[in-house]
Amino acid sequence: AGAIAYPLSCTFPGRLADRYNRQRLMGIAALWAALVFAILIFVQHIWLLLILAPLIWMTLALFWPALQATLAEGKNRAQLVKTLGTFNMVWTIGYMNGPLLGGLFYEVNPRLPFVIAMIGMFGLAIAIFLIRLKRESAQPDSEETSEEPAQIRDTLRFRKVAWIASFTGFFVMGILGNQFPKLATELMISPAVLGYLLAIPRLIQFCIFFIVRRAHFWQFKLYPLIIPQIATMVGMIMTATVSDPIMIGLGFATVGLLIGSSFTASQFYSFFQQERKGQGGALHEMIVGIGNVSGPLMGGLLAHMIGLRAPYLLCCVVLITAILVEYRLIKLHRRDVCRADSCGGS
């Protein structure tokens, strides 16, 4: 319920982030989350969880677009890549450590994770309201020339391509996180090894975030998005056909490669040359949310109807379809540019 609420809730907060004080929106979202966690401490009925889970995800839908728009505001091309890369590294660390620490707190007391989350979100809200954020003015890059209209068209086209690639990455990751534990049980993979396998994509995406924050070779090029998708197809074929945890781990690593490259590209093209950065961040997050929801839903249905390895073949179908669509978009763009140049020359 919460995962479905997230993509449905992204667009409106994105508009709010372009019209109102983003810092205030982030503070309100943090307070809202603290309140929900406070209620979760005392929940004893599952129907309350079904109500509160979407509320938590709705706070994220309010928080993330405003935060990313704030980070992207006033940044030139090089600053934008470096800032977003650092941000991605930080949230990946939190994403990996959250379940680990939550499990340790749960062993002490089942309600302790919610107490810690409530205190953390309340402290975050206070910090957000007290800190004064300065609006930065973008400094021109030494290697960057004035933005030509053709480059703006490139940004719009690659934005769509990156959104599609990002969708495939989180579609596959959603299937791994939700469906693979069932297959792991059938393959007699221990819970400890399962934990290591599921951590591999996050470790690889962290490394990709670290690398691309100082690199520019991947910008406005198709192959940095296509190659990870092809690699992930190979990885999913391995997952669907082998039983050795080492080989499965190699397959999982390709998913981290895809998420690291596609998420970075989706962020960059969503904010670069985008005046409404709140809306750009909201659309970027909505694509991520749709992938996170549709993967487990479709994969779970296929696993139930055909078998536990079928979802990974579905991933291959989604990936190859996405690659064909992305290639078509770039090809049509190049044809339009050629026509525009011919008209201009005549």
Side-chain angles (χ1 to χ4, degrees):
I4 294 174
Y6 183 71
L8 295 177
S9 305
C10 276
T11 53
F12 180 66
R15 296 192 189 101
L16 288 179
D18 288 324
R19 296 182 181 180
Y20 300 103
N21 187 294
R22 292 168 184 163
Q23 186 174 356
R24 189 173 300 170
L25 290 175
M26 289 187 288
I28 292 172
L31 280 177
W32 182 356
L35 176 62
V36 176
F37 281 122
I39 298 173
L40 281 170
I41 296 172
F42 305 101
V43 166
Q44 295 182 345
H45 302 285
I46 193 169
W47 63 268
L48 277 175
L49 289 176
L50 293 175
I51 295 175
L52 294 174
L55 291 178
I56 287 290
W57 284 89
M58 289 170 67
T59 64
L60 295 176
L62 179 62
F63 187 87
W64 284 119
L67 174 60
Q68 293 182 73
T70 300
L71 294 173
E73 193 67 54
K75 300 294 193 302
N76 62 28
R77 186 166 168 174
Q79 292 170 336
L80 180 63
V81 172
K82 186 175 181 180
T83 299
L84 293 178
T86 303
F87 164 72
N88 291 336
M89 291 167 60
V90 171
W91 74 252
T92 300
I93 293 173
Y95 200 96
M96 290 189 295
N97 289 332
L100 173 62
L101 295 176
L104 295 176
F105 292 145
Y106 187 88
E107 290 182 355
V108 176
N109 188 295
R111 301 184 188 276
L112 184 57
F114 303 115
V115 174
I116 299 297
M118 178 195 67
I119 296 173
M121 295 308 296
F122 184 75
L124 176 62
I126 297 300
I128 289 173
F129 284 124
L130 292 180
I131 293 175
R132 291 186 177 182
L133 299 178
K134 296 181 179 180
R135 296 180 68 90
E136 298 184 32
S137 57
Q139 301 296 324
D141 290 329
S142 58
E143 59 186 41
E144 185 178 359
T145 58
S146 60
E147 296 171 359
E148 300 291 338
Q151 190 181 33
I152 295 175
R153 291 199 298 268
D154 287 342
T155 302
L156 295 175
R157 187 67 65 180
F158 275 94
R159 185 177 298 161
K160 296 176 182 178
V161 171
W163 283 347
I164 295 172
S166 182
F167 167 81
T168 63
F170 285 92
F171 182 95
V172 175
M173 190 63 204
I175 285 180
L176 293 188
N178 288 271
Q179 297 300 320
F180 185 75
K182 301 174 184 177
L183 179 60
T185 301
E186 188 175 277
L187 296 177
M188 305 297 290
I189 295 175
S190 68
V193 174
L194 172 62
Y196 296 144
L197 289 174
L198 293 177
I200 288 174
R202 298 304 179 186
L203 291 172
I204 298 299
Q205 79 178 49
F206 178 87
C207 295
I208 298 299
F209 289 153
F210 177 77
I211 293 171
V212 300
R213 65 188 291 270
R214 291 187 176 276
H216 303 280
F217 68 89
W218 52 271
Q219 296 171 12
F220 299 100
K221 294 182 177 65
L222 185 59
Y223 75 86
L225 292 172
I226 295 295
I227 291 177
Q229 288 175 289
I230 295 175
T232 303
M233 286 178 56
V234 176
M236 290 302 97
I237 291 174
M238 292 168 59
T239 305
T241 55
V242 304
S243 300
D244 182 17
I246 295 178
M247 297 300 294
I248 293 174
L250 292 175
F252 279 28
T254 63
V255 182
L257 174 65
L258 175 56
I259 290 181
S261 57
S262 64
F263 188 87
T264 298
S266 177
Q267 266 187 332
F268 173 74
Y269 297 123
S270 294
F271 292 119
F272 185 59
Q273 296 178 332
Q274 169 69 280
E275 292 184 5
R276 298 180 178 178
K277 298 189 184 301
Q279 183 176 356
L283 291 172
H284 159 77
E285 287 295 322
M286 184 178 69
I287 297 297
V288 170
I290 293 173
N292 272 329
V293 171
S294 58
L297 284 177
M298 297 176 64
L301 181 63
L302 209 60
H304 178 72
M305 295 176 59
I306 300 177
L308 293 178
R309 293 185 184 266
Y312 311 104
L313 299 178
L314 171 65
C315 291
C316 295
V317 174
V318 171
L319 285 162
I320 194 169
T321 303
I323 290 172
L324 294 174
V325 173
E326 292 161 12
Y327 177 77
R328 181 64 176 171
L329 285 173
I330 295 300
K331 188 174 181 181
L332 288 175
H333 168 66
R334 289 172 179 168
R335 183 184 303 170
D336 293 341
V337 171
C338 290
R339 288 177 179 175
D341 291 342
S342 299
C343 293
S346 60

